[in-house]
Amino acid sequence: MKYLKSITLILALAFFACTAAFAQEHGEEAEKEGISLKEILFGHVQDSYNWHLFDVNGHPVVIDLPMIFYSQQSGFHVLCTSQFEHHPNAELLREGPDGFAIQGSAEEKGKIVENVNGEWQPVCFDISITKQVCVVFIDAIILLLCILIPARWCKKHKIDDEAPKGFTGLMHMFIMSVYDDLIKSTLGEKADKYAPYLLTCFFFIFFANLMGVMPFPPGGGNITGNIAVTAFLAICTFLITNATGNKHYWMEIFWPEVPTWLKCPVPLMPVIELFGVFIKPIVLCVRLFANMLAGHAIAISLTCMIFIMFAIGGFMGNLLGGFITPVSVLMSIFMMALELLVCYIQAMVFTLLSAIYIQMSHASHH
Amino acid sequence: MSLLTPDFGLFFWMTVVFLCVLGILWKWGFPVIINMVNERKEYIDGSLKKAHEATERLANIQKEGEELLRVAREKQASILKEAKETHDTIVAKAESDAREQANKMIAEAKSQIEAEKAAAIREIRSQVAELSVQIAEKVIRQNLSNDKAQMQLIDKLLDEVK
């Protein structure tokens, strides 16, 4: 039985590799037929001004979202994406009212540009409620509900009441597992001071990840796979770490305990340590971003395999498509399960590393 | 490379949303839950400890009760034993007292009998003497009819008296 499983897996992988090679050969053919993996992929993982759900008979079904921006020429504008063309024209512009247009294709979030004397200039202060901003809002609402409902239970009950059941009990257990295993075990006595931030980070990332895995609204927005979101979280950790660091922390950076020649005439170690200060949040930011983006890319690629195969056309394309469909579905299921695991692990890793960085900035002399 | 350049609008909204959420959860969310759960944990731990102590105490009480019962039983036995001993000694003393009393009474009776016997003997003797004297008188009265014989007897008696 054990061997049977391994053999099946190897065969599946071999088959998958062969078809992948074949697909690459014929990929260009497929693209001509109107399927571009890159476009689909970028359309899914990137931001856009409107929320494209699906197409019905070639007509896109979108949720129109407000666009808020400031133009140097005409001040603040609040427009709606429905006022813009859905498909870009030959100049790759989606024209809208008042001489504004969105650069780029329908799926991609380009820039808002304004027609100034025949030239297209980007507007400066663009805080439109895009698809991913929308998902951030939804994520925040879910997060607030998931934490404030159990918190309300706590306010309404005395300590000698019966233990909470159902959702409240689950959330209590979940929160305490994160608090005890990640935060308390790392930060010790100082845990309570930083726990709200770290827990907010954890659950914000966790719910955002889950919503990224969900392929339809309220999910679908890949916000933890967007570098702006992860960069913001990493900057928060960076600020907390450096704002609360004690003198030992700064001494470790500027005057570490190494042989003097490593730091005196040429400040080699201080420079390295100083780089470390900035590399830490960058690593935090990029790890989360890259992991979630890669997960989405793999999931979408696996699904697109089917369409690419059928797009090749002819007998060979249909045959390959028929073969690849079950494999692709199975692999997608596997990837989905893996993604669920990754959702938790990445949230955990981010929180744990943030806690470790904060702990390092509070460490006494060692 | 639009993937790697942070988007300003998203960053802006993320800052606003995250800080709001953090503020709300800092004030009303996580600390409330953590404190509550920790307090509950302590309460439950305390209750468990108390329950253990109570069970232990109960076991002790049972043991103590048994011990008390055993001691009481021992005491009862010893008291009974003592009572029996006392009873025995009392009976023995009573017996010896009675015997002594009886002996005394017997002795008294004996001495009285002795005394009475002696008195009786004395009386008998005196009566015998009197009777003898009377008999002797009568005898003598008869015999003293002649003077000579009288004289002889008086002399003889006088001699005897002397």
Side-chain angles (χ1 to χ4, degrees):
Chain A
M1 193 61 204
K2 210 166 74 182
Y3 292 111
L4 191 70
K5 266 185 197 165
S6 331
I7 289 166
T8 323
L9 191 64
I10 288 166
L11 280 179
L13 281 175
F15 179 72
F16 186 65
C18 288
T19 48
F22 186 82
Q24 204 163 16
E25 270 175 46
H26 293 75
E28 283 170 25
E29 277 177 46
E31 263 181 43
K32 277 176 213 154
E33 310 245 343
I35 289 183
S36 160
L37 180 58
K38 196 180 158 203
E39 208 172 274
I40 295 171
L41 179 58
F42 274 57
H44 272 87
V45 299
Q46 274 193 314
D47 208 354
S48 62
Y49 283 105
N50 50 17
W51 198 332
H52 180 216
L53 300 178
F54 44 81
D55 287 331
V56 178
N57 295 331
H59 294 289
V61 177
V62 295
I63 300 174
D64 289 310
L65 297 167
M67 298 167 72
I68 307 160
F69 54 89
Y70 180 81
S71 148
Q72 288 99 322
Q73 270 70 34
S74 47
F76 264 107
H77 288 268
V78 179
L79 299 174
C80 182
T81 44
S82 61
Q83 291 169 291
F84 288 78
E85 301 279 322
H86 188 72
H87 292 290
N89 59 17
E91 284 178 279
L92 273 180
L93 287 171
R94 293 162 59 195
E95 301 217 28
D98 303 334
F100 292 106
I102 302 170
Q103 232 171 11
S105 66
E107 293 301 331
E108 170 181 15
K109 186 201 175 204
K111 281 192 181 90
I112 301 173
V113 287
E114 189 182 13
N115 197 345
V116 183
N117 305 325
E119 260 182 65
W120 293 101
Q121 280 184 357
V123 297
C124 64
F125 190 71
D126 174 15
I127 49 166
S128 304
I129 310 293
T130 59
K131 174 183 164 192
Q132 295 197 333
V133 172
C134 227
V135 178
V136 168
F137 287 158
I138 296 168
D139 184 30
I141 289 165
I142 292 177
L143 177 59
L144 286 177
L145 286 179
C146 285
I147 304 303
L148 290 181
I149 289 172
R152 197 161 141 264
W153 184 92
C154 290
K155 279 214 178 116
K156 283 193 162 182
H157 287 73
K158 289 196 287 286
I159 52 166
D160 51 352
D161 280 352
E162 246 179 68
K165 291 188 189 75
F167 176 71
T168 306
L170 172 77
M171 285 313 292
H172 278 188
M173 206 178 70
F174 197 2
I175 292 167
M176 290 318 285
S177 88
V178 175
Y179 176 74
D180 285 335
D181 297 344
L182 301 182
I183 300 169
K184 191 98 187 174
S185 65
T186 313
L187 286 170
E189 290 167 11
K190 293 183 287 287
D192 283 336
K193 198 173 157 195
Y194 299 102
Y197 167 68
L198 292 169
L199 283 168
T200 309
C201 260
F202 179 89
F203 285 99
F204 192 90
I205 296 170
F206 182 67
F207 288 129
N209 288 351
L210 284 182
M211 280 167 62
V213 169
M214 217 191 301
F216 42 80
N222 169 38
I223 59 169
T224 39
N226 188 304
I227 200 144
V229 171
T230 60
F232 172 77
L233 292 170
I235 287 169
C236 283
T237 299
F238 173 79
L239 289 179
I240 288 173
T241 309
N242 290 289
T244 61
N246 60 12
K247 70 169 190 271
H248 291 299
Y249 169 70
W250 293 107
M251 210 172 85
E252 283 288 315
I253 292 167
F254 292 113
W255 202 250
E257 273 186 357
V258 287
T260 316
W261 56 269
L262 274 175
K263 56 190 178 182
C264 194
V266 182
L268 188 64
M269 284 308 287
V271 167
I272 291 172
E273 291 277 354
L274 199 60
F275 263 107
V277 171
F278 294 101
I279 284 170
K280 277 175 199 163
I282 292 172
V283 164
L284 267 186
C285 161
V286 172
R287 177 184 292 111
L288 181 57
F289 156 71
N291 268 294
M292 295 323 292
L293 188 67
H296 286 265
I298 292 171
I300 290 164
S301 306
L302 282 170
T303 315
C304 283
M305 285 295 289
I306 302 168
F307 298 100
I308 289 171
M309 288 301 159
F310 280 114
I312 290 166
F315 174 71
M316 200 58 194
N318 286 341
L319 185 71
L320 274 178
F323 271 122
I324 205 78
T325 305
V327 176
S328 177
V329 167
L330 280 178
M331 291 296 281
S332 292
I333 290 169
F334 171 72
M335 277 311 296
M336 214 60 158
L338 195 68
E339 273 298 286
L340 281 180
L341 202 62
V342 169
C343 285
Y344 175 75
I345 290 171
Q346 286 307 319
M348 193 189 80
V349 165
F350 190 96
T351 313
L352 185 62
L353 284 178
S354 293
I356 287 171
Y357 293 159
I358 291 171
Q359 198 269 332
M360 277 161 74
S361 75
H362 286 78
S364 51
H365 203 65
H366 56 79
Chain B
M1 289 301 279
S2 60
L3 270 180
L4 287 178
T5 44
D7 180 59
F8 172 75
L10 182 56
F11 193 88
F12 171 82
W13 285 114
M14 178 69 191
T15 312
V16 172
V17 168
F18 190 84
L19 291 183
C20 286
V21 167
L22 180 63
I24 291 169
L25 293 185
W26 200 309
K27 186 89 174 58
W28 295 291
F30 291 118
V32 177
I33 295 173
I34 289 171
N35 286 343
M36 175 74 169
V37 174
N38 279 339
E39 272 169 24
R40 275 183 68 87
K41 202 178 142 211
E42 268 164 34
Y43 177 77
I44 290 167
D45 283 352
S47 301
L48 276 179
K49 210 171 158 192
K50 268 182 210 157
H52 277 302
E53 271 171 17
T55 320
E56 232 164 70
R57 209 176 294 155
L58 204 67
N60 275 353
I61 284 171
Q62 213 164 351
K63 215 183 272 172
E64 266 170 31
E66 272 166 21
E67 181 71 23
L68 219 63
L69 213 64
R70 200 178 59 78
V71 169
R73 239 175 240 145
E74 261 172 29
K75 208 161 192 178
Q76 184 197 21
S78 76
I79 286 171
L80 277 178
K81 207 172 148 200
E82 235 169 67
K84 196 160 183 284
E85 268 168 20
T86 319
H87 166 250
D88 283 354
T89 48
I90 288 170
V91 167
K93 195 158 179 271
E95 263 176 14
S96 70
D97 276 2
R99 201 172 291 136
E100 216 170 275
Q101 197 84 10
N103 283 347
K104 217 193 232 171
M105 278 166 82
I106 290 168
E108 252 170 45
K110 260 186 190 162
S111 65
Q112 217 168 335
I113 289 166
E114 272 315 300
E116 268 173 24
K117 198 172 149 193
I121 288 170
R122 229 177 5 252
E123 205 165 319
I124 289 169
R125 202 178 265 175
S126 70
Q127 272 185 0
V128 166
E130 215 173 302
L131 280 175
S132 335
V133 169
Q134 279 174 1
I135 294 164
E137 240 180 27
K138 276 176 184 166
V139 168
I140 287 165
R141 238 175 241 152
Q142 270 182 348
N143 283 358
L144 284 182
S145 43
N146 60 6
D147 280 351
K148 198 194 171 186
Q150 280 178 350
M151 278 322 285
Q152 259 180 344
L153 185 68
I154 292 165
D155 281 344
K156 196 187 154 191
L157 285 171
L158 279 171
D159 281 348
E160 269 174 24
V161 171
K162 272 184 193 173

